[in-house]
Amino acid sequence: MDRETARFISSIAEDERIFFEDLDGTEAHNIMLHDQGIITRDELRGILASLETLRSRKQKGDLEVSSEFEDIHEFIETYVIDEVGIQVGGKLHTGRSRNDQVALDVRMRVRTELNAVSERIINLIDSLLTGARKHLDCVMVLYTHNQPAQVGVFSHYLVAYADRLFRDLERLQDAYARVNTSPLGAGPIGGSSLPIDRSRTAFLLGFPELVENSIDAVSSRDFVLETVGHLAILMTGLSRIAEDFIIWSSAEVGYLEIADEYASTSSVMPQKRNPVPLELIRAKTGTVLGAHVSLLTMVKGLQTGYNIDLQETKPPVWKSFDAVNAAVEVLTGILTTLKVNARRMASVASASYAIAMDLAENLVLDTALSFREAHQLVGTLVKEALNAGRLPTDLTPTMVGDLAKRLLGKTIVIPDEVIQRVTDVRSCLSNRVTVGGSSSSEVKRMIPERRKRLRTHRKRVAARLNALEASRTVLRDTVHEYLSEGTTLR
Ligand code: ARG
């Protein structure tokens, strides 16, 4: 092939990420070929020995994978043939196609990546819950439309972030079950005439199930579409946390201070502390969303069956995992070192009229006003108070009573303590009674429940890792038994 073109069609660079997966898959396939009487024990030993040399050379960093190869599958097969000759090495690819092989490798790698990213998300949730515990009494304004909405506690936001991340974890866990199925043995599209045993290779590689239909097994990449889709959703969530922290750490707001390790300076303005890592979390979200769109676009027009367009689906997947891993890691660091300016938060909260809705609701509770009347009353009250430069704590029952008369033509009796109950931010919060709402007692109740869920998630990921490790051990032991002298195996 023409040199430029050869480079154009090569996937060697992105196949770096499936090198060991390809070795494992090839070893399992050849063990199965021997089990099925398709290759002899000596042939298997020759093939395994060569693959193991390749493995240790790669591990030692003593392997040059030339970009002249079309892909890693061709490279590995060529290596074995060069080492043990075509008579034996030429049997390695019996009953297999690169189409089922690459689908297998990608599934194996995505499996590993999903476990790693899930562990990172768990650590991020852990630091959110730790922060939530710590800042339970940290009163602040809650925002809608970037305007003061209600009073609440900072903790409540942190628990909200954790709750969203739990759903990300669950989505990824869901996807894992579908990724964790073996396409190996599907051949190019319609299977093989040789008596291969798909369940045996699936078992050796730790897959609980097959992608049964051979056409589906080589054609489909919905497992990466959904995985990257879930990563995209995860990133949009991280991006919003980043945006909250960017606003809250601005000089004007001053609620948060990003630790020095996570702030960067300006080359020219000496006073600057830019929240650059947070901005890049926001930007890398674009990268992952773009990756998702690329993937969907690559796949949408493909005739059912393998088309080499599918080769191009690998880089966006790797890129997405890289972006997500880095973003989750950096955000965890930012959270654990974050300085929270509770005083500033509290003073903004008590100077704001974010207690207005609570005041209206308390008028509903304690007077005969309907909610709409109370809403109008408090709305006007706040407007006039702001014009007169009055703080919520300056409000008196008389002011409210007079306004009710003037505005609504109603005489209402307002007990003194109603105004106090609401205008003092802390007492206002302790009167919030909604399940899942902002009172610190409610937030306090929510945290241990999340802790418990987090433990369950940790156990699930550990179980997945253990299952993979167990199958790896079986495969490693089988390979080593064949390679060691005096083997008891056939
Ligand atoms: N390099 C290819 C990929 O990454 C492997 C399969 C190629 N199959 C083929 N018939 N050319 O998808």
Side-chain angles (χ1 to χ4, degrees):
M1 191 179 255
D2 167 68
R3 256 184 112 78
E4 273 292 293
T5 311
R7 210 165 291 145
F8 179 69
I9 70 156
S10 171
S11 63
I12 274 292
E14 58 264 29
D15 288 351
E16 174 71 28
R17 200 101 162 214
I18 50 170
F19 185 93
F20 292 110
E21 285 74 10
D22 205 68
L23 283 183
D24 289 343
T26 304
E27 290 184 346
H29 179 69
N30 279 270
I31 290 166
M32 178 279 291
L33 289 179
H34 170 59
D35 289 344
Q36 297 299 100
I38 299 168
I39 62 173
T40 69
R41 183 171 162 277
D42 284 343
E43 287 163 347
L44 174 62
R45 282 167 56 108
I47 290 167
L48 291 179
S50 177
L51 291 169
E52 284 302 291
T53 317
L54 204 47
R55 185 189 298 277
S56 69
R57 284 189 59 189
K58 177 74 180 167
Q59 279 162 348
K60 278 186 223 139
D62 156 41
L63 190 73
E64 182 76 44
V65 184
S66 152
S67 59
E68 267 142 52
F69 288 94
E70 190 177 317
D71 53 36
I72 204 66
H73 323 298
E74 190 196 15
F75 170 81
I76 291 176
E77 183 175 354
T78 307
Y79 182 95
V80 174
I81 290 174
D82 285 349
E83 260 216 330
V84 302
I86 195 148
Q87 193 50 45
V88 172
K91 296 197 174 185
L92 157 152
H93 201 55
T94 310
R96 185 178 69 166
S97 154
R98 280 185 295 170
N99 299 351
D100 55 342
Q101 185 179 0
V102 71
L104 172 81
D105 294 354
V106 173
R107 283 175 183 272
M108 286 172 70
R109 183 66 198 214
V110 169
R111 221 166 43 168
T112 305
E113 299 280 353
L114 279 174
N115 287 331
V117 85
S118 300
E119 285 188 306
R120 284 196 165 90
I121 297 170
I122 287 172
N123 291 337
L124 175 57
I125 297 178
D126 194 335
S127 62
L128 285 166
L129 295 180
T130 304
R133 189 80 198 75
K134 197 163 142 197
H135 302 296
L136 261 179
D137 295 321
C138 190
V139 166
M140 73 179 281
V141 165
L142 309 180
Y143 294 87
T144 67
H145 310 266
N146 199 24
Q147 298 290 331
Q150 290 183 272
V151 289
V153 286
F154 181 52
S155 216
H156 199 191
Y157 272 112
L158 298 180
V159 176
Y161 301 154
D163 286 353
R164 197 163 55 203
L165 284 160
F166 273 118
R167 290 193 294 277
D168 289 310
L169 261 185
E170 280 154 20
R171 274 188 283 270
L172 293 172
Q173 170 191 313
D174 231 54
Y176 188 86
R178 283 182 287 275
V179 171
N180 196 16
T181 52
S182 175
L184 189 61
I189 183 163
S192 164
S193 304
L194 297 168
I196 55 170
D197 181 352
R198 296 190 63 193
S199 312
R200 175 71 174 144
T201 45
F203 169 75
L204 286 171
L205 297 167
F207 289 99
E209 274 175 65
L210 300 179
V211 186
E212 186 179 37
N213 186 319
S214 64
I215 298 177
D216 181 36
V218 295
S219 299
S220 301
R221 290 295 184 275
D222 47 288
F223 72 97
V224 296
L225 300 184
E226 71 169 306
T227 296
V228 176
H230 296 337
L231 294 180
I233 296 172
L234 165 69
M235 283 302 282
T236 56
L238 300 188
S239 186
R240 294 181 70 180
I241 300 176
E243 179 62 9
D244 286 347
F245 285 10
I246 288 169
I247 295 173
W248 293 341
S249 64
S250 71
E252 290 74 11
V253 177
Y255 290 173
L256 303 178
E257 197 180 306
I258 313 294
D260 284 348
E261 301 98 290
Y262 299 97
S264 105
T265 53
S266 153
S267 64
V268 57
M269 296 166 282
Q271 85 283 10
K272 285 283 244 172
R273 290 182 83 259
N274 296 328
V276 165
L278 292 171
E279 298 172 78
L280 283 169
I281 289 174
R282 217 170 40 185
K284 281 176 197 290
T285 302
T287 305
V288 180
L289 305 198
H292 192 218
V293 175
S294 317
L295 289 168
L296 292 165
T297 313
M298 278 175 210
V299 171
K300 76 171 180 62
L302 293 188
Q303 186 188 35
T304 303
Y306 180 85
N307 299 266
I308 206 157
D309 308 48
L310 294 179
Q311 167 171 297
E312 198 73 5
T313 62
K314 283 175 284 181
V317 181
W318 309 152
K319 218 176 170 176
S320 299
F321 276 113
D322 289 344
V324 169
N325 282 327
V328 174
E329 196 77 10
V330 166
L331 191 57
T332 308
I334 289 176
L335 262 162
T336 46
T337 54
L338 192 66
K339 217 179 116 202
V340 178
N341 192 348
R343 258 196 201 179
R344 169 80 184 144
M345 287 181 173
S347 81
V348 172
S350 39
S352 83
Y353 277 88
I355 46 83
M357 178 177 141
D358 299 271
L359 178 55
E361 286 181 342
N362 274 271
L363 293 176
V364 167
L365 279 176
D366 288 311
T367 72
L369 295 182
S370 71
F371 177 74
R372 188 54 60 218
E373 288 171 313
H375 180 276
Q376 282 171 6
L377 176 66
V378 176
T380 308
L381 193 70
V382 171
K383 195 173 176 180
E384 292 183 356
L386 287 174
N387 285 340
R390 269 197 299 272
L391 290 174
T393 40
D394 300 331
L395 291 180
T396 62
T398 321
M399 286 177 201
V400 183
D402 289 352
L403 185 62
K405 187 107 216 149
R406 180 154 48 92
L407 190 75
L408 307 168
K410 288 203 169 176
T411 308
I412 51 170
V413 188
I414 305 145
D416 203 23
E417 60 97 22
V418 171
I419 305 292
Q420 272 166 21
R421 187 203 298 157
V422 175
T423 53
D424 175 73
V425 173
R426 280 178 204 281
S427 79
C428 172
L429 272 180
S430 60
N431 281 300
R432 280 284 171 73
V433 292
T434 314
V435 174
S438 265
S439 68
S440 27
S441 62
E442 189 55 12
V443 178
K444 190 171 175 185
R445 181 192 63 74
M446 290 192 258
I447 298 171
E449 276 179 17
R450 270 68 178 168
R451 280 263 165 236
K452 205 167 140 211
R453 274 174 75 193
L454 197 60
R455 282 194 290 277
T456 308
H457 277 284
R458 267 195 210 284
K459 280 190 202 138
R460 280 187 196 145
V461 177
R464 264 146 51 180
L465 286 168
N466 286 341
L468 289 188
E469 192 47 41
S471 71
R472 237 188 100 69
T473 307
V474 171
L475 180 61
R476 301 273 82 226
D477 289 353
T478 312
V479 169
H480 289 133
E481 274 200 61
Y482 275 116
L483 290 179
S484 63
E485 289 299 320
T487 171
T488 51
L489 298 168
R490 273 175 292 165

